[in-house]
């Protein structure tokens, strides 16, 4: 049973544009929602994370928007750059950030220059 | 600060063999989690070790086993390898309620 659904599967954005990736979850016990960025041949790197007591978190060009009632959260990448081209994974877990992460299937982002 | 390191980087095995993958956790981290990432998929949780004890397990058969050592490093052992075990195996370390940080993984190919 897939507990975190991620869309779209792939995304092409022009340089300077906004990239938006969406995730939906089922388990209302989830209380920690990170986003990871993965480049080919590398492991996932933590990008930004949010807990459900806030609706938005911003770090530089990256913003997470969180809608607890809809059980959805999204990643916005402002002013997208070719260096942002990578695969992005949303994830969720409960109790604490150090427990088992449930990942979405990933979104491959290509930013054209 | 040293990040999570995994060895070997790549490994080729044949069906039925056994394999051991190794992970050194990030400095100061006491919890290690292992994930399997099939091609084009998100990582799937295998199990987690805390204080040398298994502290949670995903939907993987018993032929997947692990160890954590007093220095918090860890091993993943897989017996009776199957073709479907071909994947990237990722190790992540964390401290307490802190976030998980991943290594670059071991690419395992089963022939």
């Amino acid at each position: 049973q897939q507990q975190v659904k991620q869309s779209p599967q792939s995304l092409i954005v022009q340089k300077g544009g906004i990239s938006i990736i969406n995730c939906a979850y089922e388990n209302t016990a989830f209380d920690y929602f990170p986003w990871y960025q993965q480049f080919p041949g590398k492991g996932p790197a933590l990008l930004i994370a949010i807990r459900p007591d806030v609706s938005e978190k911003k770090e530089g060009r990256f913003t997470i928007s969180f809608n607890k009632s809809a059980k959805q959260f999204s990643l916005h990448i402002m002013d997208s750059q070719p260096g942002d081209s990578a695969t992005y994974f949303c994830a969720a877990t409960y109790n604490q950030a150090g427990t088992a992460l449930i990942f979405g299937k990933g979104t491959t982002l290509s930013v054209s220059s | 600060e040293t990040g999570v390191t995994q060895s070997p980087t790549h490994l080729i095995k044949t069906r039925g063999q056994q394999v051991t993958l190794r992970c050194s956790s990030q400095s100061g981290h006491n919890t290690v989690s292992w994930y399997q990432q099939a091609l084009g998929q998100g990582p799937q949780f295998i199990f987690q070790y805390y204080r040398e004890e298994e502290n949670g397990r995903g939907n993987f058969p018993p032929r997947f086993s692990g160890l954590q050592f007093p220095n918090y490093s860890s091993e993943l052992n897989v017996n009776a390898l199957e073709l479907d075990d071909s994947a990237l195996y990722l190790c992540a370390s964390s401290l307490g309620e802190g976030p998980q940080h991943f290594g670059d993984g071991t690419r395992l190919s089963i022939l």
Side-chain angles (χ1 to χ4, degrees):
Chain A
Q1 180 185 8
Q2 183 188 3
Q3 297 188 52
V4 179
K5 295 184 178 180
Q6 184 172 345
S7 63
Q9 185 175 351
S10 62
L11 183 61
I12 299 174
V13 173
Q14 286 196 332
K15 180 181 176 181
I18 303 173
S19 304
I20 302 174
I21 305 170
N22 301 299
C23 282
Y25 63 97
E26 300 167 2
N27 191 337
T28 55
F30 287 150
D31 63 359
Y32 177 74
F33 303 88
W35 285 89
Y36 283 84
Q37 178 190 55
Q38 187 175 30
F39 292 103
K42 296 292 186 181
L46 180 64
L47 201 57
I48 187 173
I50 197 169
R51 294 192 183 275
D53 53 346
V54 297
S55 59
E56 185 175 282
K57 183 175 181 180
K58 183 176 181 180
E59 289 184 1
R61 297 185 294 110
F62 301 92
T63 300
I64 299 180
S65 296
F66 188 84
N67 186 329
K68 189 174 181 179
S69 61
K71 294 188 288 185
Q72 295 175 346
F73 58 110
S74 60
L75 176 69
H76 292 64
I77 306 175
M78 312 301 287
D79 187 26
S80 298
Q81 299 296 313
D84 296 330
S85 297
T87 300
Y88 292 81
F89 293 95
C90 62
T93 189
Y94 44 79
N95 294 331
Q96 55 192 17
T99 51
L101 290 167
I102 310 299
F103 283 86
K105 289 190 174 184
T107 296
T108 300
L109 170 65
S110 296
V111 181
S112 58
S113 55
Chain B
E1 184 179 85
T2 306
V4 178
T5 57
Q6 293 186 240
S7 63
T9 305
H10 296 88
L11 203 51
I12 299 174
K13 292 285 187 179
T14 57
R15 279 189 304 172
Q17 285 189 312
Q18 177 266 342
V19 69
T20 298
L21 310 181
R22 294 178 175 81
C23 171
S24 293
S25 60
Q26 184 169 319
S27 177
H29 286 186
N30 56 9
T31 302
V32 173
S33 303
W34 286 92
Y35 293 81
Q36 180 195 66
Q37 186 177 21
L39 203 60
Q41 301 294 316
Q44 277 197 293
F45 175 72
I46 302 175
F47 45 56
Q48 182 180 85
Y49 278 83
Y50 172 68
R51 292 186 175 179
E52 302 176 54
E53 296 286 333
E54 188 177 289
N55 183 42
R57 187 180 184 93
N59 188 27
F60 281 81
R63 58 189 186 85
F64 285 78
S65 63
L67 284 172
Q68 186 181 31
F69 300 99
N71 66 354
Y72 305 128
S73 65
S74 177
E75 287 183 354
L76 165 65
N77 299 288
V78 187
N79 294 320
L81 287 166
E82 301 176 359
L83 292 177
D84 284 349
D85 295 334
S86 293
L88 180 68
Y89 288 84
L90 294 162
C91 170
S93 72
S94 55
L95 173 64
E97 296 187 8
Q100 295 183 38
H101 295 272
F102 286 81
D104 288 337
T106 294
R107 173 71 63 186
L108 176 63
S109 299
I110 311 301
L111 304 179

mmCIF file of all heavy atoms in Angstrom, chain B residues 64-83:
data_model
loop_
_atom_site.group_PDB
_atom_site.id
_atom_site.type_symbol
_atom_site.label_atom_id
_atom_site.label_comp_id
_atom_site.label_asym_id
_atom_site.label_seq_id
_atom_site.Cartn_x
_atom_site.Cartn_y
_atom_site.Cartn_z
ATOM 1 N N PHE B 64 17.120 -10.730 4.796
ATOM 2 C CA PHE B 64 17.738 -9.416 4.968
ATOM 3 C C PHE B 64 17.976 -9.249 6.472
ATOM 4 O O PHE B 64 17.018 -9.237 7.258
ATOM 5 C CB PHE B 64 16.821 -8.296 4.475
ATOM 6 C CG PHE B 64 16.743 -8.167 2.992
ATOM 7 C CD1 PHE B 64 15.958 -9.038 2.251
ATOM 8 C CD2 PHE B 64 17.445 -7.177 2.318
ATOM 9 C CE1 PHE B 64 15.886 -8.941 0.868
ATOM 10 C CE2 PHE B 64 17.374 -7.065 0.934
ATOM 11 C CZ PHE B 64 16.587 -7.947 0.214
ATOM 12 N N SER B 65 19.225 -9.128 6.868
ATOM 13 C CA SER B 65 19.536 -8.973 8.287
ATOM 14 C C SER B 65 20.610 -7.904 8.451
ATOM 15 O O SER B 65 21.265 -7.517 7.484
ATOM 16 C CB SER B 65 20.011 -10.296 8.888
ATOM 17 O OG SER B 65 21.212 -10.716 8.268
ATOM 18 N N GLY B 66 20.776 -7.468 9.692
ATOM 19 C CA GLY B 66 21.747 -6.406 9.907
ATOM 20 C C GLY B 66 22.420 -6.483 11.251
ATOM 21 O O GLY B 66 22.082 -7.326 12.100
ATOM 22 N N LEU B 67 23.380 -5.600 11.403
ATOM 23 C CA LEU B 67 24.107 -5.471 12.664
ATOM 24 C C LEU B 67 24.457 -4.003 12.856
ATOM 25 O O LEU B 67 24.657 -3.280 11.881
ATOM 26 C CB LEU B 67 25.418 -6.260 12.627
ATOM 27 C CG LEU B 67 25.405 -7.771 12.762
ATOM 28 C CD1 LEU B 67 26.800 -8.322 12.504
ATOM 29 C CD2 LEU B 67 24.911 -8.173 14.142
ATOM 30 N N GLN B 68 24.527 -3.594 14.125
ATOM 31 C CA GLN B 68 25.119 -2.301 14.428
ATOM 32 C C GLN B 68 26.205 -2.527 15.470
ATOM 33 O O GLN B 68 26.011 -3.302 16.416
ATOM 34 C CB GLN B 68 24.075 -1.308 14.955
ATOM 35 C CG GLN B 68 24.655 0.094 15.134
ATOM 36 C CD GLN B 68 23.653 1.099 15.667
ATOM 37 O OE1 GLN B 68 22.753 0.754 16.423
ATOM 38 N NE2 GLN B 68 23.815 2.351 15.269
ATOM 39 N N PHE B 69 27.301 -1.848 15.317
ATOM 40 C CA PHE B 69 28.451 -2.036 16.180
ATOM 41 C C PHE B 69 28.526 -0.916 17.222
ATOM 42 O O PHE B 69 27.872 0.119 17.076
ATOM 43 C CB PHE B 69 29.726 -2.111 15.333
ATOM 44 C CG PHE B 69 29.695 -3.240 14.345
ATOM 45 C CD1 PHE B 69 29.355 -3.014 13.020
ATOM 46 C CD2 PHE B 69 29.968 -4.541 14.738
ATOM 47 C CE1 PHE B 69 29.297 -4.051 12.106
ATOM 48 C CE2 PHE B 69 29.917 -5.582 13.842
ATOM 49 C CZ PHE B 69 29.577 -5.341 12.522
ATOM 50 N N PRO B 70 29.331 -1.101 18.277
ATOM 51 C CA PRO B 70 29.417 -0.075 19.330
ATOM 52 C C PRO B 70 29.805 1.305 18.819
ATOM 53 O O PRO B 70 29.458 2.310 19.427
ATOM 54 C CB PRO B 70 30.485 -0.642 20.273
ATOM 55 C CG PRO B 70 30.381 -2.118 20.103
ATOM 56 C CD PRO B 70 30.063 -2.333 18.653
ATOM 57 N N ASN B 71 30.521 1.380 17.694
ATOM 58 C CA ASN B 71 30.880 2.700 17.146
ATOM 59 C C ASN B 71 29.781 3.235 16.222
ATOM 60 O O ASN B 71 29.976 4.227 15.525
ATOM 61 C CB ASN B 71 32.203 2.627 16.389
ATOM 62 C CG ASN B 71 32.127 1.764 15.137
ATOM 63 O OD1 ASN B 71 31.111 1.108 14.878
ATOM 64 N ND2 ASN B 71 33.204 1.754 14.371
ATOM 65 N N TYR B 72 28.609 2.580 16.220
ATOM 66 C CA TYR B 72 27.409 2.952 15.474
ATOM 67 C C TYR B 72 27.483 2.621 13.983
ATOM 68 O O TYR B 72 26.502 2.857 13.272
ATOM 69 C CB TYR B 72 27.047 4.424 15.662
ATOM 70 C CG TYR B 72 26.890 4.823 17.091
ATOM 71 C CD1 TYR B 72 27.573 5.919 17.610
ATOM 72 C CD2 TYR B 72 26.078 4.085 17.948
ATOM 73 C CE1 TYR B 72 27.430 6.291 18.934
ATOM 74 C CE2 TYR B 72 25.944 4.455 19.288
ATOM 75 C CZ TYR B 72 26.618 5.556 19.778
ATOM 76 O OH TYR B 72 26.496 5.905 21.084
ATOM 77 N N SER B 73 28.600 2.078 13.516
ATOM 78 C CA SER B 73 28.629 1.627 12.132
ATOM 79 C C SER B 73 27.697 0.426 11.991
ATOM 80 O O SER B 73 27.256 -0.160 12.997
ATOM 81 C CB SER B 73 30.044 1.264 11.693
ATOM 82 O OG SER B 73 30.509 0.141 12.422
ATOM 83 N N SER B 74 27.395 0.058 10.753
ATOM 84 C CA SER B 74 26.378 -0.982 10.554
ATOM 85 C C SER B 74 26.686 -1.824 9.331
ATOM 86 O O SER B 74 27.431 -1.398 8.440
ATOM 87 C CB SER B 74 25.008 -0.317 10.397
ATOM 88 O OG SER B 74 23.988 -1.264 10.142
ATOM 89 N N GLU B 75 26.132 -3.012 9.313
ATOM 90 C CA GLU B 75 26.200 -3.903 8.159
ATOM 91 C C GLU B 75 24.808 -4.340 7.763
ATOM 92 O O GLU B 75 23.932 -4.516 8.612
ATOM 93 C CB GLU B 75 27.020 -5.165 8.498
ATOM 94 C CG GLU B 75 28.505 -4.952 8.604
ATOM 95 C CD GLU B 75 29.247 -6.258 8.866
ATOM 96 O OE1 GLU B 75 28.588 -7.304 9.075
ATOM 97 O OE2 GLU B 75 30.479 -6.233 8.873
ATOM 98 N N LEU B 76 24.624 -4.508 6.450
ATOM 99 C CA LEU B 76 23.413 -5.123 5.916
ATOM 100 C C LEU B 76 23.841 -6.418 5.249
ATOM 101 O O LEU B 76 24.740 -6.411 4.406
ATOM 102 C CB LEU B 76 22.752 -4.189 4.899
ATOM 103 C CG LEU B 76 21.688 -4.806 3.984
ATOM 104 C CD1 LEU B 76 20.485 -5.271 4.782
ATOM 105 C CD2 LEU B 76 21.255 -3.794 2.917
ATOM 106 N N ASN B 77 23.234 -7.512 5.638
ATOM 107 C CA ASN B 77 23.530 -8.810 5.052
ATOM 108 C C ASN B 77 22.305 -9.322 4.302
ATOM 109 O O ASN B 77 21.183 -9.227 4.813
ATOM 110 C CB ASN B 77 23.898 -9.825 6.148
ATOM 111 C CG ASN B 77 25.128 -9.406 6.911
ATOM 112 O OD1 ASN B 77 26.239 -9.453 6.403
ATOM 113 N ND2 ASN B 77 24.934 -8.966 8.146
ATOM 114 N N VAL B 78 22.534 -9.822 3.114
ATOM 115 C CA VAL B 78 21.445 -10.422 2.352
ATOM 116 C C VAL B 78 21.889 -11.817 1.926
ATOM 117 O O VAL B 78 22.922 -11.983 1.280
ATOM 118 C CB VAL B 78 21.084 -9.589 1.108
ATOM 119 C CG1 VAL B 78 19.834 -10.173 0.443
ATOM 120 C CG2 VAL B 78 20.865 -8.131 1.468
ATOM 121 N N ASN B 79 21.093 -12.817 2.316
ATOM 122 C CA ASN B 79 21.372 -14.208 1.954
ATOM 123 C C ASN B 79 20.524 -14.640 0.765
ATOM 124 O O ASN B 79 19.503 -14.008 0.454
ATOM 125 C CB ASN B 79 21.061 -15.126 3.141
ATOM 126 C CG ASN B 79 21.990 -14.878 4.304
ATOM 127 O OD1 ASN B 79 23.188 -14.656 4.134
ATOM 128 N ND2 ASN B 79 21.442 -14.902 5.508
ATOM 129 N N ALA B 80 20.967 -15.717 0.109
ATOM 130 C CA ALA B 80 20.188 -16.315 -0.983
ATOM 131 C C ALA B 80 19.710 -15.253 -1.963
ATOM 132 O O ALA B 80 18.501 -15.095 -2.190
ATOM 133 C CB ALA B 80 19.008 -17.104 -0.407
ATOM 134 N N LEU B 81 20.639 -14.525 -2.517
ATOM 135 C CA LEU B 81 20.309 -13.397 -3.398
ATOM 136 C C LEU B 81 19.405 -13.802 -4.557
ATOM 137 O O LEU B 81 19.574 -14.869 -5.162
ATOM 138 C CB LEU B 81 21.595 -12.774 -3.926
ATOM 139 C CG LEU B 81 22.393 -11.950 -2.917
ATOM 140 C CD1 LEU B 81 23.792 -11.670 -3.436
ATOM 141 C CD2 LEU B 81 21.664 -10.659 -2.583
ATOM 142 N N GLU B 82 18.444 -12.910 -4.844
ATOM 143 C CA GLU B 82 17.523 -13.098 -5.959
ATOM 144 C C GLU B 82 17.722 -11.957 -6.966
ATOM 145 O O GLU B 82 18.239 -10.891 -6.603
ATOM 146 C CB GLU B 82 16.085 -13.116 -5.439
ATOM 147 C CG GLU B 82 15.823 -14.212 -4.423
ATOM 148 C CD GLU B 82 14.410 -14.154 -3.857
ATOM 149 O OE1 GLU B 82 13.644 -13.245 -4.250
ATOM 150 O OE2 GLU B 82 14.070 -15.028 -3.024
ATOM 151 N N LEU B 83 17.271 -12.186 -8.204
ATOM 152 C CA LEU B 83 17.442 -11.160 -9.235
ATOM 153 C C LEU B 83 16.800 -9.832 -8.802
ATOM 154 O O LEU B 83 17.335 -8.762 -9.071
ATOM 155 C CB LEU B 83 16.843 -11.635 -10.560
ATOM 156 C CG LEU B 83 17.549 -12.797 -11.239
ATOM 157 C CD1 LEU B 83 16.809 -13.205 -12.514
ATOM 158 C CD2 LEU B 83 19.002 -12.455 -11.556
#
